[in-house]
Amino acid sequence: MNTILLKTDDEDLKKAAGIIQEGGLVAFPTETVYGLGVNALLTDGAPKVYAAKGRPSDNPLIIHLANPEDAEKYCYTTPTYYRIAKLFMPGPVTYILKKKPCIPACVTGELDTVAVRIPRDPTAHRLIELAGVPIAAPSANLSGRPSTTTADHCIEDLFGKIEAIIDGPDAEIGLESTILAETGTPGEIKMLRPGGVTVEMLESAGFSVSLDKAITEKLADNERPLAPGMKYRHYAPNAQVCLLDGSFADTAAYMLAHANDDGTDIICFEEDSDLSGLPNVHVLGSFSDKETQAHKLFALLRSFDDMPNVKKVYARLPDKSGIGLAIFNRLLKASGYTVLKV
Ligand code: TXA
Ligand code: MG
């Protein structure tokens, strides 16, 4: 397929919106990661997305809207949805609601609920507005690879497979949105996937937050995560990632002892000053600067696939507070839940 590259000006976004309206696929920037968009109202839209990504078709897609109130047309909204919307939308949060019949079953993986997100990235917002339809979009990566956070990574994964790619800026946050669902109890909210809207932010807004087990633990074969996509081995580079769990000093000693192992790379923080400077060591940022870590993580994980000699990657566990929970969750999945106590 001939893929066109578009810019973020209105003229090009009108072209992109036209492609969406006609049922084509467009990769576009958002503040979390790049999305691979299709008109959510078409029954043959989602299957094209699954085919381009090489993704199992039971994994439901998020629909992207321009404004929180637009959800009225596609799902049954609730007071809690509007509370969250007032606090965090537009932004890096996705909310699960009961769907209306106009959303085809192929978009929601046959579920009777639909995931709704209102991106704050200006290009994403303008594209949705111009398209005038909800845009169903998973992350714009080949299935199994880390989500794309730059236009170049989209081109790498999807050029030749879709109608257009918008050559926009790098994603501001760098990790996918927080997914929330209601528990049935007022004031309570369940987190299905951690992201830029954090447990702490929700708690300080007065919510009590419960975490789906799939965020921090490997589920048994007979267990199902609430967000079906959380069961896949996402974010994994070809090299085996191994997380190191121990005191700061013990982890530093372990990494230093293995820094010269053949085919071994290391992900650590600026505070690991004995390691920084070595050629096979990748510094994610300062231990406390989680925004920078989030911003850099997926590009780093993807880069290991360009280094076929790297067979093993040791990574120091990040701090789990704030967006650190999302960084921890993605690293855990990248490692296939391989955690070594040191
Ligand atoms: O930041 C993001 O959320 C990005 C950008 C493009 O918006 N999108 C994204 O989409 O990460 P995707 O398809 O890679 O992940 C969507 C997640 C999957 O884990 C899926 O199972 C879950 O959302 N999901 C979608 N619809 C759902 C539903 N009705 N109930 C529960 N989980 C749902
Ligand atoms: Mg994804």
Side-chain angles (χ1 to χ4, degrees):
M1 184 183 293
N2 183 27
T3 303
I4 57 168
L5 293 183
L6 296 171
K7 299 254 177 292
T8 57
D9 57 78
D10 238 45
E11 195 180 320
D12 270 13
L13 291 185
K14 280 181 190 149
K15 284 186 202 154
I19 294 171
I20 293 279
Q21 285 162 351
E22 283 161 26
L25 305 188
V26 178
F28 63 100
T30 86
E31 71 277 19
T32 56
V33 297
Y34 270 69
L36 174 53
V38 74
N39 181 346
L41 300 178
L42 303 177
T43 45
D44 62 346
K48 287 192 220 165
V49 169
Y50 298 131
K53 277 180 67 98
R55 170 184 199 160
S57 61
D58 66 337
N59 197 3
L61 304 178
I62 296 172
I63 64 166
H64 296 71
L65 307 175
N67 305 292
E69 311 77 56
D70 296 345
E72 298 294 343
K73 288 182 242 165
Y74 312 111
C75 31
Y76 297 95
T77 59
T78 64
T80 312
Y81 166 74
Y82 279 110
R83 244 183 99 191
I84 292 289
K86 200 156 181 245
L87 290 159
F88 304 114
M89 293 180 189
V93 66
T94 294
Y95 202 91
I96 310 293
L97 289 166
K98 277 258 177 306
K99 81 173 194 74
K100 288 188 173 170
C102 58
I103 297 296
C106 61
V107 167
T108 62
E110 312 291 329
L111 296 173
D112 62 356
T113 53
V114 63
V116 172
R117 177 159 121 71
I118 290 86
R120 71 167 175 234
D121 175 272
T123 302
H125 184 265
R126 185 72 182 136
L127 173 65
I128 301 162
E129 201 172 57
L130 288 168
V133 292
I135 299 184
S139 48
N141 53 285
L142 290 179
S143 191
R145 295 206 74 190
S147 300
T148 49
T149 54
T150 71
D152 282 350
H153 291 162
C154 279
I155 293 170
E156 205 175 281
D157 277 18
L158 297 167
F159 197 86
K161 297 192 170 81
I162 62 177
E163 277 77 6
I165 296 174
I166 300 178
D167 189 356
D170 294 359
E172 171 203 332
I173 296 173
L175 300 177
E176 305 87 345
S177 62
T178 302
I179 304 179
L180 299 176
E182 289 179 22
T183 62
T185 310
E188 223 179 70
I189 202 101
K190 185 138 193 152
M191 190 179 281
L192 314 190
R193 180 175 72 181
V197 169
T198 64
V199 172
E200 290 82 350
M201 287 158 79
L202 290 159
E203 283 176 348
S204 54
F207 286 97
S208 92
V209 185
S210 59
L211 296 186
D212 191 40
K213 191 177 164 193
I215 293 175
T216 52
E217 285 173 56
K218 185 178 168 71
L219 299 183
D221 286 345
N222 60 353
E223 288 180 300
R224 295 267 167 277
L226 288 174
M230 292 287 277
K231 72 175 180 252
Y232 298 112
R233 185 174 178 247
H234 267 151
Y235 319 115
N238 293 325
Q240 172 62 57
V241 177
C242 176
L243 303 184
L244 301 175
D245 184 11
S247 72
F248 207 90
D250 289 345
T251 308
Y254 190 92
M255 291 192 293
L256 205 55
H258 291 273
N260 292 318
D261 288 1
D262 230 23
T264 300
D265 273 24
I266 285 172
I267 300 176
C268 64
F269 300 103
E270 277 166 17
E271 289 75 3
D272 290 300
S273 45
D274 290 345
L275 289 158
S276 55
L278 296 178
N280 55 338
V281 169
H282 311 271
V283 178
L284 261 190
S286 164
F287 189 71
S288 58
D289 181 2
K290 285 166 271 196
E291 278 66 33
T292 298
Q293 296 166 29
H295 190 71
K296 288 168 82 168
L297 182 65
F298 283 158
L300 175 59
L301 289 176
R302 290 176 71 92
S303 72
F304 290 118
D305 290 343
D306 301 325
M307 300 183 251
N309 54 321
V310 178
K311 301 282 184 257
K312 181 138 206 163
V313 177
Y314 287 114
R316 179 190 277 288
L317 276 184
D319 174 57
K320 292 175 204 157
S321 64
I323 199 171
L325 183 65
I327 300 167
F328 167 69
N329 167 258
R330 304 316 190 267
L331 272 172
L332 195 62
K333 295 187 83 178
S335 76
Y337 299 86
T338 310
V339 182
L340 185 67
K341 295 253 180 230
V342 293

